[in-house]
Amino acid sequence: MNIYSSKFQHQRQIVKVNPSVPVLQIYFEEIMDTKTDFRLSRDAISMLVRLLGIKKRHGWNPVVEVLVFLYWLGHGASYSVVSRVFSIPKTSVFRIVHSIALKVVALRTKCIQFPKPQDFHKVGEEFAKLAHSHFFKKCVGAIDGCHVRIKKPVGPDAQDYFNRKLFYSVQLQAICDSNGIFLDTFVGYPGSVHDTRVLKNSPVYTEALYPPAGYFILGDGGYPCIEHPICIITPFKEPVRDPIEGRFNAHVSKARCVIERAFGMMKTRWRSIFFKALEVDSHFVPDIITSCTVLHNICLGVGDVEDPEPAENDVGPFPQMGPGDLSGAALRNTLARQISAPRTQLHDHNYL
C-alpha cells in the first residue's frame, strides 16, 4: 500500500512513494498541521494545487511535486537534504523545484493584479482608515522595495549586486493594498541600484500602469514625490519645517506601513529565503522571489496570515527627480494643509 489515500487513487501513478515518509504522511493522512513543514496551511496548499492544475500521465504525483517544492522553499535546504526527507532521487528534487517554481511564477498574472475600477473607492476608503484621515481616500496602494540576500555571483558583474548595506542582493519592488496583498511586483535588479532607478525601469512606471488618474500611491523617502507619469506621494523630508508637515508625515506613516507589514509577513513565512543568502544561481533568484510573492497572496486569500517580525525602515539616499517627472509637491502640500485645517476634525471623525 502506498502513501496515497483513496481520494488520490484515481490518478495514474508510475512512481510509487515510500509509505513510511513522515513528511508525506503529515499531508496525505492529515495527521497534523502542515505549516511547520511546508509553511502553508492545508487550505493554502489545496488552493495552490487547484490553481496550478497540473495533469500528468506519468512520473511523480503532482501534489507530491508541490510538497517537495514547498518543503525546499520553506527550509532553504539543499537538494540532497530534501532528497533524503522525501526518499526520492536528488536529480528529481532539482527538476521538481525548478519546474514547480516556473509554474508558480506563471500564476503571477492571475494572483497579483491591480484592483478593478469599481473597487478603487473601496481600496481608497480602507487606506483612509489606515491613515486616520478622510483625505487619503484617493490612495490606492503603498510601494516599497526590499533586498533579498544572495551568495556572491560568479563573474565580472558581481559587484553590481553588492548593496550599500554591505551584502549581495537582488531587489524586489512591490505595491500592496490596505490588506497587504501584492498588487504588483518587479524583481531582478542588483542590490547596488537605487530604488528610484528600479522604479523608473519597472513597467508600472514606464507604462504608467498604476495608479489610475486621480489617485495616488504612497512611498517612503527613497522614492521621488511625483505626479506624472504615475502619482507617488512621499513624506516631507526630515527634519520637518513645521507642524503641518509633521502631522502629514504621521498620517502617511500610518497608511504606508502596510507594505512593510506585507514584506514582514512574507519574510517571516520564508525565513530561510529572506534571512540568509540564497544558495542558488543568481539567474534563478527572481523566480524564487516571485514564487514567494504569489504564494503570499494565495495564503492571504484563504486566511492564512503570518504574524510579521518588525521590518527594517531604511529609506536610503534622498532621490532626485528626473527630466520626465512632474513634481507631486503641490498635491502633497494641498493634502498637508487639508489635514491640518480645523474643519478636517469633522471629516476625519470616522477615521480616528
Side-chain angles (χ1 to χ4, degrees), residues 63-92:
V63 179
V64 173
E65 292 194 344
V66 170
L67 296 178
V68 168
F69 172 71
L70 291 177
Y71 187 92
W72 175 85
L73 191 69
H75 293 268
S78 67
Y79 299 125
S80 296
V81 170
V82 179
S83 171
R84 291 194 294 270
V85 170
F86 283 86
S87 191
I88 63 177
K90 177 181 173 181
T91 54
S92 294

Side-chain angles (χ1 to χ4, degrees), residues 88-137:
I88 63 177
K90 177 181 173 181
T91 54
S92 294
V93 173
F94 179 88
R95 179 190 59 78
I96 288 170
V97 166
H98 284 254
S99 173
I100 297 299
L102 292 178
K103 287 179 172 62
V104 174
V105 168
L107 293 177
R108 179 182 176 276
T109 55
K110 181 181 294 185
C111 297
I112 301 178
Q113 299 178 328
F114 296 121
K116 293 179 172 57
Q118 61 266 30
D119 295 327
F120 292 154
H121 176 76
K122 179 181 178 182
V123 176
E125 286 291 322
E126 290 174 348
F127 268 103
K129 291 178 181 179
L130 287 178
H132 290 191
S133 173
H134 175 76
F135 295 105
F136 283 79
K137 64 182 180 180

Side-chain angles (χ1 to χ4, degrees), residues 5 8 45 84 115 121 161 163 177 199 223 274 291 295 303 317:
S5 60
F8 294 104
I45 295 174
R84 291 194 294 270
H121 176 76
Y161 291 86
N163 62 41
D177 68 8
L199 168 70
Y223 292 94
F274 292 100
S291 294
L295 294 174

Side-chain angles (χ1 to χ4, degrees), residues 123 127 139-143 175-178 183 210 216-219 258:
V123 176
F127 268 103
C139 175
V140 288
I143 186 171
I175 300 173
C176 77
D177 68 8
S178 60
L183 307 178
Y210 196 77
F216 61 86
I217 58 178
L218 294 174
V258 67

Side-chain angles (χ1 to χ4, degrees), residues 110 112 144 237 260:
K110 181 181 294 185
I112 301 178
D144 203 358
K237 187 177 180 180
E260 295 176 357

Side-chain angles (χ1 to χ4, degrees), residues 11-302:
Q11 298 181 6
R12 181 185 174 192
Q13 297 161 18
I14 303 302
V15 181
K16 291 187 177 181
V17 179
N18 187 339
S20 64
V21 175
V23 74
L24 290 176
Q25 291 177 339
I26 288 171
Y27 181 79
F28 286 108
E29 297 185 6
E30 302 184 4
I31 60 177
M32 60 184 293
D33 182 67
T34 60
K35 292 192 71 169
T36 299
D37 291 283
F38 304 111
R39 307 304 302 146
L40 271 67
S41 67
R42 195 176 302 278
D43 287 343
I45 295 174
S46 298
M47 176 59 72
L48 173 61
V49 171
R50 287 198 295 272
L51 288 172
L52 289 172
I54 304 172
K55 296 181 180 179
K56 300 176 67 178
R57 293 182 178 275
H58 57 81
W60 298 102
N61 180 291
V63 179
V64 173
E65 292 194 344
V66 170
L67 296 178
V68 168
F69 172 71
L70 291 177
Y71 187 92
W72 175 85
L73 191 69
H75 293 268
S78 67
Y79 299 125
S80 296
V81 170
V82 179
S83 171
R84 291 194 294 270
V85 170
F86 283 86
S87 191
I88 63 177
K90 177 181 173 181
T91 54
S92 294
V93 173
F94 179 88
R95 179 190 59 78
I96 288 170
V97 166
H98 284 254
S99 173
I100 297 299
L102 292 178
K103 287 179 172 62
V104 174
V105 168
L107 293 177
R108 179 182 176 276
T109 55
K110 181 181 294 185
C111 297
I112 301 178
Q113 299 178 328
F114 296 121
K116 293 179 172 57
Q118 61 266 30
D119 295 327
F120 292 154
H121 176 76
K122 179 181 178 182
V123 176
E125 286 291 322
E126 290 174 348
F127 268 103
K129 291 178 181 179
L130 287 178
H132 290 191
S133 173
H134 175 76
F135 295 105
F136 283 79
K137 64 182 180 180
K138 293 296 184 180
C139 175
V140 288
I143 186 171
D144 203 358
C146 74
H147 290 265
V148 181
R149 291 176 181 268
I150 61 172
K151 65 179 182 179
K152 182 179 179 180
V154 177
D157 298 330
Q159 284 305 114
D160 292 341
Y161 291 86
F162 195 69
N163 62 41
R164 57 188 173 78
K165 300 179 182 180
L166 306 181
F167 61 85
Y168 295 93
S169 66
V170 166
Q171 297 199 56
L172 161 64
Q173 174 187 282
I175 300 173
C176 77
D177 68 8
S178 60
N179 296 309
I181 295 174
F182 293 127
L183 307 178
D184 181 70
T185 58
F186 181 61
V187 184
Y189 262 77
S192 65
V193 178
H194 191 278
D195 288 352
T196 302
R197 183 180 169 195
V198 175
L199 168 70
K200 293 186 176 181
N201 283 278
S202 62
V204 73
Y205 179 94
T206 59
E207 300 174 28
L209 298 178
Y210 196 77
Y215 294 87
F216 61 86
I217 58 178
L218 294 174
D220 64 17
Y223 292 94
C225 184
I226 55 176
E227 199 167 355
H228 179 83
I230 63 175
C231 190
I232 303 177
I233 298 300
T234 63
F236 289 100
K237 187 177 180 180
E238 298 285 349
V240 295
R241 295 173 295 182
D242 54 50
I244 292 178
E245 292 186 354
R247 194 172 294 114
F248 177 80
N249 282 4
H251 285 285
V252 169
S253 178
K254 291 175 183 177
R256 200 198 64 79
C257 68
V258 67
I259 183 64
E260 295 176 357
R261 176 175 170 79
F263 284 151
M265 285 190 286
M266 185 172 64
K267 290 179 178 180
T268 300
R269 188 182 298 273
W270 292 287
R271 297 181 59 86
S272 297
I273 297 297
F274 292 100
F275 288 104
K276 68 178 185 179
L278 268 172
E279 293 288 337
V280 298
D281 186 278
S282 59
H283 294 96
F284 188 39
V285 170
D287 290 335
I288 297 305
I289 300 172
T290 300
S291 294
C292 289
T293 62
V294 170
L295 294 174
H296 168 87
N297 276 11
I298 291 174
C299 289
L300 294 191
V302 298

